[in-house]
Amino acid sequence: MKNLFKIAKDTNTFLKRFIQNQSKTNLITPMKYGIFPGGKKIRSKILIDFGKLYNIDYKVLIKIGAAVECIHAYSLIHDDLPCMDNDN
């Protein structure tokens, strides 16, 4: 079983490389802000542990885990939008 810190580092490394390869837009900075505020990437750890049970390649699992982390970051940001949380 991989260490949580290694998985978090590998997930962040994949995401940083992925974002670096995107066209330069005004969304790069907000994307980085939403994805890299620390965090343990626990969802990636769970996914990788589960994937190892089925002998799925670690690099494939990192890509899937990165996608899950992006969806999670999106859900947190989306939930905090004024139109969604109805809070001043």
Side-chain angles (χ1 to χ4, degrees), residues 13-84:
T13 298
F14 173 82
L15 287 167
K16 285 175 186 173
R17 285 185 186 144
F18 183 83
I19 288 173
Q20 247 178 341
N21 292 328
Q22 302 307 304
S23 299
K24 297 296 178 193
T25 73
N26 292 334
L27 294 176
I28 298 295
T29 300
M31 286 167 52
K32 288 179 180 178
Y33 179 81
I35 294 172
F36 301 116
K40 298 174 202 69
K41 306 293 190 260
I42 191 72
R43 288 152 295 281
S44 292
K45 168 78 168 125
I46 293 167
L47 187 131
I48 286 169
D49 287 347
F50 188 74
K52 287 294 180 181
L53 295 173
Y54 293 96
N55 296 316
I56 300 171
D57 183 64
Y58 180 74
K59 289 182 180 183
V60 171
L61 293 170
I62 285 293
K63 291 177 185 177
I64 297 167
V68 169
E69 294 296 339
C70 288
I71 293 167
H72 180 254
Y74 158 79
S75 71
L76 293 175
I77 293 167
H78 188 264
D79 184 55
D80 284 342
L81 293 173
C83 64
M84 296 303 290

